[in-house]
Amino acid sequence: MPYKIFIVLILLFSISMAVAADNSDFVVTKSPNDRITLTVSVKPELNYSVQFDGKEIITASKLGLKFKDAAPFRAFNVADIQGVLINNRWIDHWGRQREVVNLFWENVLTLVEKELPNRTLKLQCRVYNDGVALRYLIDEKTVGKKDYTLKQDLTEYNFVGNPTAWATLHKGFKTSQEEFFPKMTLKEIKSDAVIGCPLVVQALPEGPYVALAEADVKTWGGQFFKAENGKIKSAVAPRNDGDGLAKSQAPDASPWRLLIIAPKAINLVDQTILMNVSTPRDSKTDWSWVKPGNASWDWWSGSNVVMNTETIKGFIDFAAEMGWEYTFVDDPWYNGDTKKMGDKSNSVLKAFDKIDMDEVLKHAKAKNVRLFLWLNWLDIDRQMDEAFALYEKWGIAGVKIDFMDREDQEMIEWYDMTTQKAAQHKLLVDFHGAFKPNGYRRAHPNLITREGIRGNEYNKWSKLTPQHYCALPYTRLMLGPGDFTPGSFLNRYYDGPLVEGFKTAQGIGTRARELAISLVYDSPIRCLCDAPEVYRGQPGLEFFRGLPCVWDESQGVEGEIGEYFSLIRRSGNDWYYGAITDDKPRTLTLKLDFLDSGDYEATIYADTSETEKDARKISITKKTVRATDSLEVKMGREGGQTIVFKKVAE
């Protein structure tokens, strides 16, 4: 359905902003609902502040850039302001919300130095109902020449007081970004820590919550943060060659600096600002071949798996039984030795001698299951053009590329090159050892999912905490899809022993929670982790048959970061509800007023009285409900609940 695009150009004094009397001191931009106020000032230096419902949440915070071989900018005047209100909608075929509203006020400020050489810097400011977006526009008048090297992003985020935060801390910029999000105050963050995106802050005790992030990263390194006695500063990943943070050419635009703002923690998950500010896809490009779906996976099962033709065929058979679209063929399919991954002698153009790739491909085609192939990034980098052409000939659906563990400018450019080359051969991409989502997938939807998350694989050699499961929806997963690889059916408690009789990896928490995280954690390719022999005949398996991977609607219901989380989702006429809790039992009340009129059959997957002794135990019941009803949602410790609502034919 086509949508009308409304663009309203507004005169300077009528665009929900104000300028000081001398027309050079400050500019105010408000959100369409008037709850968020952004003020940009040039006195005593270029800075900004943010209010929510009239209360200051970001005090005067520095803005600006520093370039190589250039003096710092001196005091500015506001030479020009261009204001606009944008109100349109677009369709996301591969996300959590099909119809996305794009509504914001924008001001573009032209800033000119008061003294020679009178350099200019443009600041683009957008205020949405769910946050603030800022970016720098750089031209030759900014840098004095065409080429430039960025030395420092001076953007700061000065919160009021010493608020609570959820921060993922790294030892350096070269990282897989697979950490926890522990709760702390900003002043507890040490100055030597490299803080990852997003940094989530409870700005005031009563809210709002603010998540610091970025979007539309094209020519810079990725954004991290540093803390100095509670003051948060932007920290762009340095170039891998050590020459600054970015080398580029004017005219150029920095990535968007985002302050995602939500009245309550649960509202963070409904943000659309990150994708809204990101570059849209080319409407002339055919992306109809990008198909979400569920997948089986051989790697999780660990010591029980021998990588050979029959093993791969077994996982293909199970995917076909379940109606799943894909199977992941993981390390070490092309050389048989995980210790040699990245060795220059490796070839990604053929399988090692225990795998008959012709037979595997023929079997997959007969079963109507398509394959993803795992690749070490160093191996595919040497042979990319030849390999992608070969994979297209083989009928491969996608590639899972691993171990980059960097977010510098060169690596971001490598992601872009790889994704675009993959698209030329109709290959989906799943990056592992990856950096966080930054909106790139809006323009390139074949980048279907990515890691950059402390996922289920960690349960193979350590344990994920109950709090981690309940922090992810508000933190890493709030930014975009995460290949968490849910679906463990060997369920045990965090403080409990391994399930006896199995050598395979085992998940933490109850089976009901494992079903719930499969629903509430977003990934257009849902890689379900366990082995066919663990799944078959088990209660709860039917939940995965036909479970959608993308949604028409999604909305957070209630929760607190690291404690519990719940949401509702719609696919067509069917509604889904998922809830998870930490190490505390919890009872919620779910109002069903989101349903249409008439009867629905609710299938409820829940913890039961037996679950306390055996985390694999699950209750599956059916009940007829209507929109006027409410349901009691009981969860045991480390538990969860999912409910599927299907309309009863009248």
Side-chain angles (χ1 to χ4, degrees):
M1 174 180 178
Y3 291 94
K4 293 181 179 179
I5 299 177
F6 300 94
I7 302 178
V8 183
L9 294 174
I10 308 296
L11 294 175
L12 179 62
F13 292 104
S14 63
I15 70 166
S16 188
M17 73 174 192
V19 182
D22 64 0
N23 204 35
S24 62
D25 287 352
F26 67 91
V27 178
V28 176
T29 311
K30 290 194 173 185
S31 60
N33 64 5
D34 282 337
R35 299 191 73 179
I36 301 172
T37 302
L38 167 70
T39 303
V40 176
S41 176
V42 293
K43 285 188 176 180
E45 59 183 351
L46 182 61
N47 69 86
Y48 76 101
S49 60
V50 179
Q51 291 183 325
F52 183 83
D53 285 347
K55 297 179 180 178
E56 192 166 48
I57 57 174
I58 300 289
T59 63
S61 301
K62 185 183 295 185
L63 292 167
L65 303 173
K66 186 178 291 186
F67 298 98
K68 184 178 180 179
D69 300 325
F73 284 104
R74 297 182 176 87
F76 285 112
N77 280 327
V78 180
D80 184 57
I81 308 169
Q82 297 294 320
V84 64
L85 170 68
I86 300 293
N87 183 5
N88 59 43
R89 302 179 184 220
W90 58 279
I91 298 297
D92 184 359
H93 297 281
W94 304 280
R96 64 194 312 275
Q97 198 82 18
R98 183 175 176 84
E99 181 180 298
V100 182
V101 175
N102 184 39
L103 172 63
F104 62 90
W105 283 105
E106 176 180 281
N107 282 318
V108 178
L109 284 60
T110 300
L111 309 169
V112 179
E113 283 182 305
K114 293 181 179 180
E115 301 176 12
L116 293 174
N118 302 123
R119 292 170 295 178
T120 64
L121 177 67
K122 289 187 177 181
L123 182 67
Q124 189 173 8
C125 310
R126 291 184 181 179
V127 186
Y128 292 76
N129 290 339
D130 57 352
V132 171
L134 300 166
R135 72 173 173 182
Y136 304 98
L137 304 180
I138 302 163
D139 59 25
E140 292 189 37
K141 293 181 180 179
T142 308
V143 292
K145 54 186 177 180
K146 192 171 186 65
D147 296 325
Y148 75 85
T149 299
L150 180 71
K151 295 294 290 184
Q152 190 175 357
D153 176 0
L154 300 174
T155 309
E156 295 182 351
Y157 309 85
N158 298 331
F159 288 89
V160 175
N162 182 29
T164 299
W166 290 263
T168 182
L169 306 178
H170 306 295
K171 294 179 180 179
F173 291 100
K174 293 185 178 182
T175 168
S176 63
Q177 302 193 17
E178 299 169 8
E179 302 292 344
F180 292 115
F181 284 84
K183 183 178 181 179
M184 62 191 72
T185 66
L186 290 182
K187 289 185 178 179
E188 289 177 315
I189 302 175
K190 296 180 179 180
S191 59
D192 61 349
V194 176
I195 309 166
C197 273
L199 172 60
V200 179
V201 180
Q202 186 176 350
L204 298 173
E206 68 277 15
Y209 290 73
V210 179
L212 303 182
E214 68 174 341
D216 221 28
V217 186
K218 295 178 180 178
T219 58
W220 289 19
Q223 187 181 33
F224 295 80
F225 306 99
K226 300 285 284 186
E228 292 184 6
N229 194 31
K231 180 181 292 188
I232 304 300
K233 298 184 177 183
S234 179
V236 177
R239 282 178 54 86
N240 196 49
D241 65 6
D243 190 5
L245 309 180
K247 297 176 75 70
S248 190
Q249 291 186 329
D252 197 13
S254 76
W256 288 100
R257 294 334 190 188
L258 299 182
L259 295 90
I260 302 168
I261 302 173
K264 299 180 180 179
I266 192 64
N267 305 127
L268 285 171
V269 305
D270 298 327
Q271 67 87 12
T272 57
I273 184 174
L274 190 152
M275 289 289 278
N276 270 328
V277 299
S278 298
T279 300
R281 59 186 177 275
D282 183 351
S283 60
K284 297 178 182 179
T285 302
D286 176 23
W287 293 105
S288 61
W289 55 273
V290 176
K291 302 291 186 184
N294 293 294
S296 63
W297 184 35
D298 55 46
W299 185 84
W300 166 268
S301 301
S303 59
N304 281 17
V305 166
V306 177
M307 180 62 79
N308 58 32
T309 303
E310 293 307 311
T311 295
I312 299 172
K313 288 170 66 175
F315 279 88
I316 292 170
D317 288 342
F318 184 67
E321 286 176 31
M322 293 298 299
W324 297 347
E325 293 83 356
Y326 302 105
T327 289
F328 277 76
V329 180
D330 216 288
D331 169 15
W333 72 270
Y334 58 86
N335 74 359
D337 185 355
T338 58
K339 295 179 181 179
K340 289 183 62 179
M341 288 301 166
D343 190 280
K344 291 183 179 180
S345 65
N346 290 339
S347 173
V348 299
L349 304 177
K350 61 181 180 179
F352 84 115
D353 56 10
K354 291 185 179 180
I355 297 174
D356 184 333
M357 185 56 78
D358 288 340
E359 185 176 346
V360 167
L361 295 172
K362 184 186 298 183
H363 190 74
K365 185 175 182 179
K367 294 290 185 175
N368 197 29
V369 173
R370 302 191 67 200
L371 304 182
F372 272 75
L373 299 180
W374 182 94
L375 300 159
N376 182 289
W377 86 276
L378 293 171
D379 294 335
I380 189 61
D381 185 49
R382 292 191 303 272
Q383 303 164 293
M384 189 176 297
D385 292 333
E386 188 177 1
F388 284 178
L390 177 64
Y391 298 163
E392 182 180 22
K393 182 179 178 180
W394 283 356
I396 299 301
V399 288
K400 174 180 173 180
I401 304 176
D402 206 347
F403 291 123
M404 292 76 69
D405 297 344
R406 288 166 38 200
E407 198 180 357
D408 50 69
Q409 182 184 22
E410 296 100 317
M411 183 54 70
I412 287 174
E413 291 172 344
W414 189 87
Y415 273 50
D416 178 60
M417 175 196 70
T418 302
T419 303
Q420 294 201 47
K421 285 188 175 183
Q424 292 169 12
H425 298 281
K426 291 185 167 52
L427 292 171
L428 303 176
V429 179
D430 174 6
F431 284 124
H432 274 227
F435 55 79
K436 82 282 180 182
N438 57 27
Y440 179 87
R441 66 189 178 92
R442 183 176 176 189
H444 304 278
N446 67 309
L447 203 177
I448 193 76
T449 191
R450 69 173 79 198
E451 198 179 32
I453 188 171
R454 197 176 188 92
N456 226 347
E457 68 176 18
Y458 276 78
N459 287 321
K460 289 189 67 158
W461 56 81
S462 60
K463 291 188 290 187
L464 300 180
T465 68
Q467 292 74 25
H468 180 64
Y469 288 92
C470 297
L472 281 177
Y474 307 91
T475 53
R476 160 60 182 85
L477 287 166
M478 182 262 297
L479 299 182
D483 193 10
F484 183 88
T485 66
S488 169
F489 265 32
L490 292 176
N491 314 103
R492 65 187 180 107
Y493 289 106
Y494 183 78
D495 58 0
L498 292 169
V499 180
E500 294 183 359
F502 295 90
K503 295 181 180 179
T504 61
Q506 300 184 15
I508 298 297
T510 71
R511 182 167 298 178
R513 187 173 75 178
E514 200 70 27
L515 298 187
I517 65 170
S518 302
L519 171 68
V520 304
Y521 289 4
D522 284 295
S523 185
I525 298 293
R526 183 184 292 112
C527 182
L528 293 157
C529 64
D530 231 325
E533 64 268 23
V534 176
Y535 277 137
R536 286 191 178 103
Q538 286 295 304
L541 181 60
E542 284 302 304
F543 177 75
F544 293 137
R545 194 182 297 276
L547 181 64
C549 295
V550 295
W551 304 94
D552 295 317
E553 292 182 64
S554 298
Q555 183 179 341
V557 177
E558 61 176 312
E560 295 293 343
I561 303 174
E563 298 178 17
Y564 70 106
F565 175 75
S566 62
L567 93 169
I568 53 173
R569 328 196 85 149
R570 181 179 65 84
S571 175
N573 294 321
D574 300 334
W575 284 90
Y576 295 75
Y577 169 80
I580 58 176
T581 186
D582 57 8
D583 55 356
K584 298 178 179 61
R586 209 173 297 271
T587 299
L588 309 177
T589 299
L590 174 64
K591 294 181 180 180
L592 305 185
D593 51 6
F594 55 88
L595 299 176
D596 291 332
S597 60
D599 291 340
Y600 282 79
E601 181 184 70
T603 303
I604 304 169
Y605 301 83
D607 299 317
T608 178
S609 58
E610 298 178 330
T611 309
E612 178 61 31
K613 295 181 180 179
D614 185 348
R616 294 172 294 176
K617 297 295 184 180
I618 187 171
S619 167
I620 305 173
T621 58
K622 294 183 183 292
K623 185 176 183 178
T624 300
V625 298
R626 300 176 69 88
T628 53
D629 295 333
S630 295
L631 293 176
E632 187 177 65
V633 178
K634 287 188 175 181
M635 297 179 284
R637 67 183 179 103
E638 300 176 32
Q641 188 168 139
T642 58
I643 308 174
V644 182
F645 300 91
K646 291 188 176 288
K647 190 73 175 287
V648 176
E650 296 179 356

